[in-house]
Amino acid sequence: MTEFSTFSAFSADSANLENHVTSGATVWLTGLPSAGKTTIAYELAGRLREEGHRVEVLDGDEIREFISAGLGFSREDRHTNVQRIGFLAELLARNGVKALVPVIAPYADSRDAVRGRHQESGTAYIEVHVATPVEVCSVRDVKGLYAKQAAGELSGLTGVDDPYEAPESPDLRIESQNQTVQESAGAVHALLTERGLA
């Protein structure tokens, strides 16, 4: 009887450790192009992996190439793209993966639909607004999009000549222009910890 009790206690401890390391969640980082979403996501991913978490970064450019090829940048196509990413993120998170999603997702109704999908399945979801001002993003211009738009070579740039509906009540708002990448990732990590997800 004592041996059985010891075994049961060991199993419970193991289960708690496993839940700590494998509890999934989606962290959606929304913001303008060149806001720092992807940089923060990869910094956070490295930290979480060091702690033993299973992590995937769902990069918007890769998703467009492999899952949403053929979609354009109309409101309808952007919505469809966000829903596909949301489905994939929820699937990963439901199976114990931290899905980090640095994707603009410019429309509030699209983001709300993704959050709703997670709520229906009881899967943790955190919305992070990387609230870097367009003036800062246009100077960073990581992909040269702002320069192309200014030169008339590109139209439909989110936050410039296409809408970006900033989240009214995100779980976390980061002003990346005022802190380091490590500090920004640390703020997200702190929120995950506070919610029992890290």
Side-chain angles (χ1 to χ4, degrees):
M1 185 112 179
T2 304
E3 288 179 11
F4 179 77
S5 298
T6 303
F7 176 77
S8 297
F10 175 78
S11 298
D13 288 343
S14 298
N16 288 338
L17 180 60
E18 183 178 330
N19 287 338
H20 172 72
V21 176
T22 63
S23 57
T26 293
V27 179
W28 197 294
L29 298 100
T30 178
L32 297 174
S34 296
K37 302 178 300 295
T38 302
T39 305
I40 294 167
Y42 278 107
E43 178 70 24
L44 177 61
R47 183 166 175 178
L48 290 169
R49 285 186 182 115
E50 285 176 3
E51 295 172 351
H53 297 274
R54 293 162 51 201
V55 183
E56 290 294 336
V57 177
L58 302 183
D59 181 88
D61 293 334
E62 292 177 358
I63 295 289
R64 277 203 172 265
E65 181 178 356
F66 295 106
I67 295 178
S68 292
L71 290 180
F73 291 90
S74 67
R75 184 180 179 111
E76 182 179 342
D77 281 359
R78 288 177 191 256
H79 178 77
T80 299
N81 185 49
V82 168
Q83 296 317 297
R84 288 178 182 177
I85 298 169
F87 172 81
L88 181 56
E90 194 278 327
L91 184 65
L92 288 167
R94 183 169 15 117
N95 286 282
V97 177
K98 297 290 187 305
L100 310 183
V101 188
V103 173
I104 295 170
Y107 300 112
D109 59 346
S110 298
R111 296 191 304 266
D112 289 345
V114 172
R115 183 186 289 274
R117 174 189 298 281
H118 283 72
Q119 287 173 338
E120 286 172 17
S121 67
T123 305
Y125 180 85
I126 292 176
E127 182 179 75
V128 178
H129 181 205
V130 184
T132 313
V134 67
E135 297 79 16
V136 176
C137 295
S138 64
V139 172
R140 290 179 179 172
D141 204 10
V142 178
K143 298 175 187 173
L145 299 176
Y146 292 94
K148 288 181 180 177
Q149 193 276 336
E153 300 170 13
L154 176 75
S155 62
L157 180 59
T158 301
V160 179
D161 60 353
D162 212 57
Y164 176 72
E165 298 170 2
E168 292 181 6
S169 302
D171 298 289
L172 178 66
R173 193 179 313 277
I174 292 174
E175 295 182 356
S176 72
Q177 74 278 13
N178 297 329
Q179 57 191 29
T180 66
V181 172
Q182 291 76 18
E183 289 169 337
S184 296
V188 183
H189 188 277
L191 180 58
L192 286 167
T193 301
E194 178 185 308
R195 299 198 178 175
L197 299 168

PDB file of all heavy atoms in Angstrom, residues 47-81:
ATOM      1  N   ARG A  47      13.835  32.027 -25.407  1.00  0.00           N
ATOM      2  CA  ARG A  47      13.754  31.962 -23.945  1.00  0.00           C
ATOM      3  C   ARG A  47      12.855  30.809 -23.492  1.00  0.00           C
ATOM      4  O   ARG A  47      13.190  30.060 -22.577  1.00  0.00           O
ATOM      5  CB  ARG A  47      13.217  33.291 -23.422  1.00  0.00           C
ATOM      6  CG  ARG A  47      13.153  33.379 -21.921  1.00  0.00           C
ATOM      7  CD  ARG A  47      12.950  34.811 -21.474  1.00  0.00           C
ATOM      8  NE  ARG A  47      12.767  34.874 -20.032  1.00  0.00           N
ATOM      9  CZ  ARG A  47      12.606  35.991 -19.347  1.00  0.00           C
ATOM     10  NH1 ARG A  47      12.610  37.147 -19.977  1.00  0.00           N
ATOM     11  NH2 ARG A  47      12.431  35.974 -18.052  1.00  0.00           N
ATOM     12  N   LEU A  48      11.718  30.650 -24.159  1.00  0.00           N
ATOM     13  CA  LEU A  48      10.787  29.575 -23.800  1.00  0.00           C
ATOM     14  C   LEU A  48      11.391  28.199 -24.076  1.00  0.00           C
ATOM     15  O   LEU A  48      11.230  27.267 -23.283  1.00  0.00           O
ATOM     16  CB  LEU A  48       9.466  29.738 -24.555  1.00  0.00           C
ATOM     17  CG  LEU A  48       8.590  30.920 -24.124  1.00  0.00           C
ATOM     18  CD1 LEU A  48       7.440  31.125 -25.115  1.00  0.00           C
ATOM     19  CD2 LEU A  48       8.034  30.703 -22.710  1.00  0.00           C
ATOM     20  N   ARG A  49      12.106  28.066 -25.193  1.00  0.00           N
ATOM     21  CA  ARG A  49      12.738  26.773 -25.511  1.00  0.00           C
ATOM     22  C   ARG A  49      13.787  26.404 -24.469  1.00  0.00           C
ATOM     23  O   ARG A  49      13.908  25.243 -24.103  1.00  0.00           O
ATOM     24  CB  ARG A  49      13.366  26.823 -26.909  1.00  0.00           C
ATOM     25  CG  ARG A  49      12.333  26.760 -28.019  1.00  0.00           C
ATOM     26  CD  ARG A  49      12.960  26.652 -29.391  1.00  0.00           C
ATOM     27  NE  ARG A  49      11.928  26.653 -30.415  1.00  0.00           N
ATOM     28  CZ  ARG A  49      11.776  27.617 -31.325  1.00  0.00           C
ATOM     29  NH1 ARG A  49      12.608  28.647 -31.350  1.00  0.00           N
ATOM     30  NH2 ARG A  49      10.803  27.545 -32.207  1.00  0.00           N
ATOM     31  N   GLU A  50      14.532  27.399 -24.004  1.00  0.00           N
ATOM     32  CA  GLU A  50      15.538  27.148 -22.959  1.00  0.00           C
ATOM     33  C   GLU A  50      14.885  26.612 -21.689  1.00  0.00           C
ATOM     34  O   GLU A  50      15.507  25.864 -20.936  1.00  0.00           O
ATOM     35  CB  GLU A  50      16.301  28.439 -22.634  1.00  0.00           C
ATOM     36  CG  GLU A  50      17.313  28.827 -23.687  1.00  0.00           C
ATOM     37  CD  GLU A  50      17.991  30.155 -23.380  1.00  0.00           C
ATOM     38  OE1 GLU A  50      17.718  30.746 -22.312  1.00  0.00           O
ATOM     39  OE2 GLU A  50      18.791  30.598 -24.225  1.00  0.00           O
ATOM     40  N   GLU A  51      13.626  26.985 -21.453  1.00  0.00           N
ATOM     41  CA  GLU A  51      12.894  26.528 -20.273  1.00  0.00           C
ATOM     42  C   GLU A  51      12.197  25.188 -20.497  1.00  0.00           C
ATOM     43  O   GLU A  51      11.537  24.673 -19.601  1.00  0.00           O
ATOM     44  CB  GLU A  51      11.855  27.581 -19.874  1.00  0.00           C
ATOM     45  CG  GLU A  51      12.473  28.897 -19.431  1.00  0.00           C
ATOM     46  CD  GLU A  51      11.439  29.987 -19.217  1.00  0.00           C
ATOM     47  OE1 GLU A  51      10.251  29.778 -19.565  1.00  0.00           O
ATOM     48  OE2 GLU A  51      11.809  31.047 -18.695  1.00  0.00           O
ATOM     49  N   GLY A  52      12.323  24.644 -21.705  1.00  0.00           N
ATOM     50  CA  GLY A  52      11.754  23.334 -21.978  1.00  0.00           C
ATOM     51  C   GLY A  52      10.399  23.338 -22.650  1.00  0.00           C
ATOM     52  O   GLY A  52       9.770  22.281 -22.791  1.00  0.00           O
ATOM     53  N   HIS A  53       9.943  24.501 -23.098  1.00  0.00           N
ATOM     54  CA  HIS A  53       8.652  24.572 -23.787  1.00  0.00           C
ATOM     55  C   HIS A  53       8.799  24.191 -25.253  1.00  0.00           C
ATOM     56  O   HIS A  53       9.845  24.430 -25.869  1.00  0.00           O
ATOM     57  CB  HIS A  53       8.079  25.991 -23.706  1.00  0.00           C
ATOM     58  CG  HIS A  53       7.789  26.453 -22.323  1.00  0.00           C
ATOM     59  ND1 HIS A  53       6.600  26.188 -21.680  1.00  0.00           N
ATOM     60  CD2 HIS A  53       8.539  27.159 -21.441  1.00  0.00           C
ATOM     61  CE1 HIS A  53       6.631  26.718 -20.472  1.00  0.00           C
ATOM     62  NE2 HIS A  53       7.793  27.306 -20.296  1.00  0.00           N
ATOM     63  N   ARG A  54       7.737  23.617 -25.787  1.00  0.00           N
ATOM     64  CA  ARG A  54       7.653  23.387 -27.233  1.00  0.00           C
ATOM     65  C   ARG A  54       7.089  24.655 -27.848  1.00  0.00           C
ATOM     66  O   ARG A  54       6.031  25.136 -27.437  1.00  0.00           O
ATOM     67  CB  ARG A  54       6.758  22.186 -27.518  1.00  0.00           C
ATOM     68  CG  ARG A  54       7.371  20.880 -27.026  1.00  0.00           C
ATOM     69  CD  ARG A  54       6.356  19.770 -26.891  1.00  0.00           C
ATOM     70  NE  ARG A  54       5.556  19.593 -28.072  1.00  0.00           N
ATOM     71  CZ  ARG A  54       4.367  18.982 -28.082  1.00  0.00           C
ATOM     72  NH1 ARG A  54       3.858  18.493 -26.974  1.00  0.00           N
ATOM     73  NH2 ARG A  54       3.697  18.849 -29.198  1.00  0.00           N
ATOM     74  N   VAL A  55       7.792  25.206 -28.831  1.00  0.00           N
ATOM     75  CA  VAL A  55       7.445  26.517 -29.381  1.00  0.00           C
ATOM     76  C   VAL A  55       7.497  26.488 -30.904  1.00  0.00           C
ATOM     77  O   VAL A  55       8.401  25.891 -31.487  1.00  0.00           O
ATOM     78  CB  VAL A  55       8.425  27.612 -28.888  1.00  0.00           C
ATOM     79  CG1 VAL A  55       8.012  28.990 -29.403  1.00  0.00           C
ATOM     80  CG2 VAL A  55       8.531  27.618 -27.370  1.00  0.00           C
ATOM     81  N   GLU A  56       6.532  27.140 -31.527  1.00  0.00           N
ATOM     82  CA  GLU A  56       6.570  27.376 -32.969  1.00  0.00           C
ATOM     83  C   GLU A  56       6.270  28.850 -33.219  1.00  0.00           C
ATOM     84  O   GLU A  56       5.366  29.408 -32.596  1.00  0.00           O
ATOM     85  CB  GLU A  56       5.539  26.528 -33.716  1.00  0.00           C
ATOM     86  CG  GLU A  56       5.841  25.045 -33.757  1.00  0.00           C
ATOM     87  CD  GLU A  56       7.084  24.692 -34.545  1.00  0.00           C
ATOM     88  OE1 GLU A  56       7.488  25.482 -35.437  1.00  0.00           O
ATOM     89  OE2 GLU A  56       7.663  23.634 -34.267  1.00  0.00           O
ATOM     90  N   VAL A  57       7.038  29.467 -34.113  1.00  0.00           N
ATOM     91  CA  VAL A  57       6.748  30.826 -34.552  1.00  0.00           C
ATOM     92  C   VAL A  57       6.084  30.724 -35.917  1.00  0.00           C
ATOM     93  O   VAL A  57       6.665  30.183 -36.857  1.00  0.00           O
ATOM     94  CB  VAL A  57       8.034  31.684 -34.640  1.00  0.00           C
ATOM     95  CG1 VAL A  57       7.703  33.087 -35.168  1.00  0.00           C
ATOM     96  CG2 VAL A  57       8.714  31.770 -33.274  1.00  0.00           C
ATOM     97  N   LEU A  58       4.862  31.207 -36.002  1.00  0.00           N
ATOM     98  CA  LEU A  58       4.126  31.173 -37.272  1.00  0.00           C
ATOM     99  C   LEU A  58       4.347  32.497 -37.988  1.00  0.00           C
ATOM    100  O   LEU A  58       3.597  33.459 -37.827  1.00  0.00           O
ATOM    101  CB  LEU A  58       2.635  30.922 -37.013  1.00  0.00           C
ATOM    102  CG  LEU A  58       2.303  29.631 -36.256  1.00  0.00           C
ATOM    103  CD1 LEU A  58       0.794  29.471 -36.120  1.00  0.00           C
ATOM    104  CD2 LEU A  58       2.898  28.417 -36.959  1.00  0.00           C
ATOM    105  N   ASP A  59       5.402  32.547 -38.771  1.00  0.00           N
ATOM    106  CA  ASP A  59       5.797  33.756 -39.481  1.00  0.00           C
ATOM    107  C   ASP A  59       4.818  34.052 -40.621  1.00  0.00           C
ATOM    108  O   ASP A  59       4.514  33.177 -41.427  1.00  0.00           O
ATOM    109  CB  ASP A  59       7.219  33.576 -40.019  1.00  0.00           C
ATOM    110  CG  ASP A  59       7.722  34.805 -40.743  1.00  0.00           C
ATOM    111  OD1 ASP A  59       8.289  35.689 -40.078  1.00  0.00           O
ATOM    112  OD2 ASP A  59       7.532  34.884 -41.971  1.00  0.00           O
ATOM    113  N   GLY A  60       4.347  35.290 -40.675  1.00  0.00           N
ATOM    114  CA  GLY A  60       3.343  35.670 -41.668  1.00  0.00           C
ATOM    115  C   GLY A  60       3.783  35.453 -43.101  1.00  0.00           C
ATOM    116  O   GLY A  60       3.002  35.009 -43.944  1.00  0.00           O
ATOM    117  N   ASP A  61       5.047  35.758 -43.411  1.00  0.00           N
ATOM    118  CA  ASP A  61       5.552  35.581 -44.781  1.00  0.00           C
ATOM    119  C   ASP A  61       5.580  34.104 -45.168  1.00  0.00           C
ATOM    120  O   ASP A  61       5.219  33.740 -46.291  1.00  0.00           O
ATOM    121  CB  ASP A  61       6.950  36.189 -44.925  1.00  0.00           C
ATOM    122  CG  ASP A  61       6.935  37.703 -44.788  1.00  0.00           C
ATOM    123  OD1 ASP A  61       5.886  38.316 -45.069  1.00  0.00           O
ATOM    124  OD2 ASP A  61       7.969  38.270 -44.389  1.00  0.00           O
ATOM    125  N   GLU A  62       5.998  33.251 -44.241  1.00  0.00           N
ATOM    126  CA  GLU A  62       6.037  31.813 -44.530  1.00  0.00           C
ATOM    127  C   GLU A  62       4.632  31.255 -44.698  1.00  0.00           C
ATOM    128  O   GLU A  62       4.391  30.424 -45.577  1.00  0.00           O
ATOM    129  CB  GLU A  62       6.770  31.079 -43.406  1.00  0.00           C
ATOM    130  CG  GLU A  62       8.256  31.396 -43.355  1.00  0.00           C
ATOM    131  CD  GLU A  62       8.954  30.712 -42.198  1.00  0.00           C
ATOM    132  OE1 GLU A  62       8.283  30.013 -41.404  1.00  0.00           O
ATOM    133  OE2 GLU A  62      10.183  30.876 -42.090  1.00  0.00           O
ATOM    134  N   ILE A  63       3.700  31.717 -43.870  1.00  0.00           N
ATOM    135  CA  ILE A  63       2.309  31.255 -43.988  1.00  0.00           C
ATOM    136  C   ILE A  63       1.753  31.630 -45.353  1.00  0.00           C
ATOM    137  O   ILE A  63       1.111  30.817 -46.021  1.00  0.00           O
ATOM    138  CB  ILE A  63       1.428  31.858 -42.875  1.00  0.00           C
ATOM    139  CG1 ILE A  63       1.866  31.362 -41.493  1.00  0.00           C
ATOM    140  CG2 ILE A  63      -0.049  31.558 -43.135  1.00  0.00           C
ATOM    141  CD1 ILE A  63       1.565  29.920 -41.208  1.00  0.00           C
ATOM    142  N   ARG A  64       2.015  32.865 -45.786  1.00  0.00           N
ATOM    143  CA  ARG A  64       1.506  33.300 -47.103  1.00  0.00           C
ATOM    144  C   ARG A  64       2.100  32.455 -48.226  1.00  0.00           C
ATOM    145  O   ARG A  64       1.424  32.162 -49.211  1.00  0.00           O
ATOM    146  CB  ARG A  64       1.793  34.777 -47.334  1.00  0.00           C
ATOM    147  CG  ARG A  64       0.746  35.674 -46.685  1.00  0.00           C
ATOM    148  CD  ARG A  64       0.671  37.035 -47.342  1.00  0.00           C
ATOM    149  NE  ARG A  64      -0.456  37.793 -46.833  1.00  0.00           N
ATOM    150  CZ  ARG A  64      -1.649  37.859 -47.397  1.00  0.00           C
ATOM    151  NH1 ARG A  64      -1.893  37.186 -48.513  1.00  0.00           N
ATOM    152  NH2 ARG A  64      -2.609  38.593 -46.884  1.00  0.00           N
ATOM    153  N   GLU A  65       3.342  32.054 -48.084  1.00  0.00           N
ATOM    154  CA  GLU A  65       3.990  31.265 -49.130  1.00  0.00           C
ATOM    155  C   GLU A  65       3.466  29.834 -49.177  1.00  0.00           C
ATOM    156  O   GLU A  65       3.224  29.288 -50.253  1.00  0.00           O
ATOM    157  CB  GLU A  65       5.506  31.247 -48.907  1.00  0.00           C
ATOM    158  CG  GLU A  65       6.258  30.472 -49.968  1.00  0.00           C
ATOM    159  CD  GLU A  65       7.771  30.490 -49.763  1.00  0.00           C
ATOM    160  OE1 GLU A  65       8.251  31.165 -48.836  1.00  0.00           O
ATOM    161  OE2 GLU A  65       8.457  29.802 -50.538  1.00  0.00           O
ATOM    162  N   PHE A  66       3.265  29.221 -48.006  1.00  0.00           N
ATOM    163  CA  PHE A  66       2.967  27.793 -47.986  1.00  0.00           C
ATOM    164  C   PHE A  66       1.506  27.439 -47.707  1.00  0.00           C
ATOM    165  O   PHE A  66       1.044  26.377 -48.108  1.00  0.00           O
ATOM    166  CB  PHE A  66       3.853  27.095 -46.947  1.00  0.00           C
ATOM    167  CG  PHE A  66       5.316  27.154 -47.291  1.00  0.00           C
ATOM    168  CD1 PHE A  66       6.165  27.993 -46.589  1.00  0.00           C
ATOM    169  CD2 PHE A  66       5.827  26.397 -48.329  1.00  0.00           C
ATOM    170  CE1 PHE A  66       7.515  28.064 -46.912  1.00  0.00           C
ATOM    171  CE2 PHE A  66       7.171  26.459 -48.661  1.00  0.00           C
ATOM    172  CZ  PHE A  66       8.022  27.300 -47.952  1.00  0.00           C
ATOM    173  N   ILE A  67       0.776  28.286 -47.016  1.00  0.00           N
ATOM    174  CA  ILE A  67      -0.603  27.950 -46.661  1.00  0.00           C
ATOM    175  C   ILE A  67      -1.617  28.871 -47.328  1.00  0.00           C
ATOM    176  O   ILE A  67      -2.700  28.455 -47.687  1.00  0.00           O
ATOM    177  CB  ILE A  67      -0.781  27.964 -45.123  1.00  0.00           C
ATOM    178  CG1 ILE A  67       0.071  26.849 -44.514  1.00  0.00           C
ATOM    179  CG2 ILE A  67      -2.245  27.795 -44.717  1.00  0.00           C
ATOM    180  CD1 ILE A  67       0.023  26.779 -43.016  1.00  0.00           C
ATOM    181  N   SER A  68      -1.243  30.123 -47.499  1.00  0.00           N
ATOM    182  CA  SER A  68      -2.182  31.093 -48.067  1.00  0.00           C
ATOM    183  C   SER A  68      -1.739  31.605 -49.431  1.00  0.00           C
ATOM    184  O   SER A  68      -2.093  32.712 -49.836  1.00  0.00           O
ATOM    185  CB  SER A  68      -2.374  32.265 -47.096  1.00  0.00           C
ATOM    186  OG  SER A  68      -3.044  31.841 -45.933  1.00  0.00           O
ATOM    187  N   ALA A  69      -0.948  30.801 -50.138  1.00  0.00           N
ATOM    188  CA  ALA A  69      -0.531  31.196 -51.485  1.00  0.00           C
ATOM    189  C   ALA A  69      -1.784  31.426 -52.339  1.00  0.00           C
ATOM    190  O   ALA A  69      -2.745  30.677 -52.261  1.00  0.00           O
ATOM    191  CB  ALA A  69       0.335  30.099 -52.103  1.00  0.00           C
ATOM    192  N   GLY A  70      -1.763  32.471 -53.119  1.00  0.00           N
ATOM    193  CA  GLY A  70      -2.918  32.778 -53.954  1.00  0.00           C
ATOM    194  C   GLY A  70      -3.828  33.835 -53.363  1.00  0.00           C
ATOM    195  O   GLY A  70      -4.634  34.437 -54.077  1.00  0.00           O
ATOM    196  N   LEU A  71      -3.705  34.070 -52.072  1.00  0.00           N
ATOM    197  CA  LEU A  71      -4.491  35.134 -51.459  1.00  0.00           C
ATOM    198  C   LEU A  71      -3.817  36.476 -51.710  1.00  0.00           C
ATOM    199  O   LEU A  71      -2.601  36.583 -51.672  1.00  0.00           O
ATOM    200  CB  LEU A  71      -4.624  34.926 -49.950  1.00  0.00           C
ATOM    201  CG  LEU A  71      -5.500  33.770 -49.464  1.00  0.00           C
ATOM    202  CD1 LEU A  71      -5.509  33.740 -47.939  1.00  0.00           C
ATOM    203  CD2 LEU A  71      -6.916  33.885 -50.002  1.00  0.00           C
ATOM    204  N   GLY A  72      -4.639  37.491 -51.918  1.00  0.00           N
ATOM    205  CA  GLY A  72      -4.110  38.844 -52.097  1.00  0.00           C
ATOM    206  C   GLY A  72      -4.195  39.617 -50.790  1.00  0.00           C
ATOM    207  O   GLY A  72      -4.129  39.039 -49.705  1.00  0.00           O
ATOM    208  N   PHE A  73      -4.402  40.922 -50.933  1.00  0.00           N
ATOM    209  CA  PHE A  73      -4.416  41.785 -49.749  1.00  0.00           C
ATOM    210  C   PHE A  73      -5.713  42.576 -49.635  1.00  0.00           C
ATOM    211  O   PHE A  73      -5.753  43.619 -48.980  1.00  0.00           O
ATOM    212  CB  PHE A  73      -3.189  42.706 -49.753  1.00  0.00           C
ATOM    213  CG  PHE A  73      -1.906  41.956 -49.527  1.00  0.00           C
ATOM    214  CD1 PHE A  73      -1.192  41.450 -50.608  1.00  0.00           C
ATOM    215  CD2 PHE A  73      -1.434  41.718 -48.251  1.00  0.00           C
ATOM    216  CE1 PHE A  73      -0.017  40.739 -50.405  1.00  0.00           C
ATOM    217  CE2 PHE A  73      -0.262  41.006 -48.039  1.00  0.00           C
ATOM    218  CZ  PHE A  73       0.453  40.519 -49.117  1.00  0.00           C
ATOM    219  N   SER A  74      -6.776  42.046 -50.245  1.00  0.00           N
ATOM    220  CA  SER A  74      -8.093  42.647 -50.040  1.00  0.00           C
ATOM    221  C   SER A  74      -8.521  42.371 -48.602  1.00  0.00           C
ATOM    222  O   SER A  74      -7.938  41.514 -47.920  1.00  0.00           O
ATOM    223  CB  SER A  74      -9.113  42.039 -51.002  1.00  0.00           C
ATOM    224  OG  SER A  74      -9.331  40.671 -50.670  1.00  0.00           O
ATOM    225  N   ARG A  75      -9.542  43.077 -48.148  1.00  0.00           N
ATOM    226  CA  ARG A  75     -10.013  42.839 -46.780  1.00  0.00           C
ATOM    227  C   ARG A  75     -10.431  41.374 -46.609  1.00  0.00           C
ATOM    228  O   ARG A  75     -10.104  40.737 -45.604  1.00  0.00           O
ATOM    229  CB  ARG A  75     -11.181  43.772 -46.447  1.00  0.00           C
ATOM    230  CG  ARG A  75     -11.631  43.598 -44.991  1.00  0.00           C
ATOM    231  CD  ARG A  75     -12.792  44.512 -44.610  1.00  0.00           C
ATOM    232  NE  ARG A  75     -13.151  44.260 -43.222  1.00  0.00           N
ATOM    233  CZ  ARG A  75     -12.971  45.101 -42.224  1.00  0.00           C
ATOM    234  NH1 ARG A  75     -12.429  46.280 -42.450  1.00  0.00           N
ATOM    235  NH2 ARG A  75     -13.317  44.780 -40.994  1.00  0.00           N
ATOM    236  N   GLU A  76     -11.136  40.838 -47.587  1.00  0.00           N
ATOM    237  CA  GLU A  76     -11.605  39.447 -47.504  1.00  0.00           C
ATOM    238  C   GLU A  76     -10.431  38.467 -47.461  1.00  0.00           C
ATOM    239  O   GLU A  76     -10.425  37.528 -46.659  1.00  0.00           O
ATOM    240  CB  GLU A  76     -12.510  39.127 -48.699  1.00  0.00           C
ATOM    241  CG  GLU A  76     -13.077  37.727 -48.668  1.00  0.00           C
ATOM    242  CD  GLU A  76     -13.987  37.428 -49.855  1.00  0.00           C
ATOM    243  OE1 GLU A  76     -14.452  38.374 -50.516  1.00  0.00           O
ATOM    244  OE2 GLU A  76     -14.217  36.232 -50.117  1.00  0.00           O
ATOM    245  N   ASP A  77      -9.436  38.687 -48.316  1.00  0.00           N
ATOM    246  CA  ASP A  77      -8.276  37.791 -48.339  1.00  0.00           C
ATOM    247  C   ASP A  77      -7.451  37.904 -47.055  1.00  0.00           C
ATOM    248  O   ASP A  77      -6.948  36.903 -46.534  1.00  0.00           O
ATOM    249  CB  ASP A  77      -7.388  38.085 -49.550  1.00  0.00           C
ATOM    250  CG  ASP A  77      -7.944  37.486 -50.838  1.00  0.00           C
ATOM    251  OD1 ASP A  77      -9.003  36.821 -50.779  1.00  0.00           O
ATOM    252  OD2 ASP A  77      -7.328  37.687 -51.900  1.00  0.00           O
ATOM    253  N   ARG A  78      -7.322  39.110 -46.538  1.00  0.00           N
ATOM    254  CA  ARG A  78      -6.599  39.278 -45.272  1.00  0.00           C
ATOM    255  C   ARG A  78      -7.330  38.541 -44.148  1.00  0.00           C
ATOM    256  O   ARG A  78      -6.706  37.911 -43.296  1.00  0.00           O
ATOM    257  CB  ARG A  78      -6.448  40.766 -44.921  1.00  0.00           C
ATOM    258  CG  ARG A  78      -5.460  41.522 -45.796  1.00  0.00           C
ATOM    259  CD  ARG A  78      -5.445  42.992 -45.394  1.00  0.00           C
ATOM    260  NE  ARG A  78      -4.739  43.842 -46.323  1.00  0.00           N
ATOM    261  CZ  ARG A  78      -3.523  44.338 -46.136  1.00  0.00           C
ATOM    262  NH1 ARG A  78      -2.845  44.028 -45.050  1.00  0.00           N
ATOM    263  NH2 ARG A  78      -2.974  45.138 -47.015  1.00  0.00           N
ATOM    264  N   HIS A  79      -8.666  38.635 -44.152  1.00  0.00           N
ATOM    265  CA  HIS A  79      -9.461  37.945 -43.130  1.00  0.00           C
ATOM    266  C   HIS A  79      -9.256  36.429 -43.242  1.00  0.00           C
ATOM    267  O   HIS A  79      -9.042  35.747 -42.233  1.00  0.00           O
ATOM    268  CB  HIS A  79     -10.942  38.295 -43.276  1.00  0.00           C
ATOM    269  CG  HIS A  79     -11.823  37.588 -42.301  1.00  0.00           C
ATOM    270  ND1 HIS A  79     -11.924  37.960 -40.969  1.00  0.00           N
ATOM    271  CD2 HIS A  79     -12.630  36.496 -42.450  1.00  0.00           C
ATOM    272  CE1 HIS A  79     -12.761  37.138 -40.350  1.00  0.00           C
ATOM    273  NE2 HIS A  79     -13.195  36.244 -41.226  1.00  0.00           N
ATOM    274  N   THR A  80      -9.321  35.912 -44.461  1.00  0.00           N
ATOM    275  CA  THR A  80      -9.128  34.473 -44.683  1.00  0.00           C
ATOM    276  C   THR A  80      -7.745  34.039 -44.206  1.00  0.00           C
ATOM    277  O   THR A  80      -7.600  33.008 -43.537  1.00  0.00           O
ATOM    278  CB  THR A  80      -9.297  34.133 -46.180  1.00  0.00           C
ATOM    279  OG1 THR A  80     -10.627  34.482 -46.584  1.00  0.00           O
ATOM    280  CG2 THR A  80      -9.060  32.652 -46.444  1.00  0.00           C
ATOM    281  N   ASN A  81      -6.731  34.824 -44.511  1.00  0.00           N
ATOM    282  CA  ASN A  81      -5.365  34.500 -44.083  1.00  0.00           C
ATOM    283  C   ASN A  81      -5.268  34.430 -42.561  1.00  0.00           C
ATOM    284  O   ASN A  81      -4.705  33.487 -42.002  1.00  0.00           O
ATOM    285  CB  ASN A  81      -4.395  35.552 -44.637  1.00  0.00           C
ATOM    286  CG  ASN A  81      -2.945  35.218 -44.331  1.00  0.00           C
ATOM    287  OD1 ASN A  81      -2.482  34.111 -44.555  1.00  0.00           O
ATOM    288  ND2 ASN A  81      -2.226  36.200 -43.816  1.00  0.00           N
TER     289      ASN A  81
END
